[in-house]
């Protein structure tokens, strides 16, 4: 998604955020965003690992072919 925004768009977003939130709030917002993103990644990874575990527990006859 960030690749489609491009550098000029990203700079514009950062300037708007600086004007709206001010220089003192930006580090807090960035930190909160980073924590949120890492929690989301961890949850997604746990979810996919749980699906893989359930798939491994199914008997061989019930498993779908990979194709």
């Amino acid at each position: 998604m960030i690749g489609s925004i491009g550098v000029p768009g990203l700079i514009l977003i950062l300037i708007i955020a600086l004007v709206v939130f001010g220089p003192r709030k930006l580090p807090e917002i960035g930190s909160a965003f980073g924590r949120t993103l890492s929690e989301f990644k961890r949850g997604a990874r746990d979810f996919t690992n749980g699906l893989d575990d359930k798939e491994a527990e199914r008997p061989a006859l019930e498993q779908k072919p990979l194709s």
Side-chain angles (χ1 to χ4, degrees):
M1 183 174 171
I2 291 178
S4 64
I5 293 175
V7 175
L10 190 59
I11 291 172
L12 181 63
I13 290 171
L14 290 175
I15 290 172
I16 291 172
L18 182 62
V19 169
V20 171
F21 296 111
R24 291 185 183 160
K25 281 287 192 182
L26 281 184
E28 294 175 26
I29 293 170
S31 177
F33 180 72
R35 283 192 304 268
T36 302
L37 188 59
S38 67
E39 282 291 321
F40 177 77
K41 284 179 158 180
R42 187 177 308 121
R45 185 175 47 245
D46 291 345
F47 179 74
T48 56
N49 287 343
L51 290 179
D52 291 342
D53 291 344
K54 281 189 170 196
E55 192 69 27
E57 291 174 0
R58 292 174 62 189
L61 295 176
E62 291 183 20
Q63 289 185 349
K64 297 178 184 175
L66 296 176
S67 57

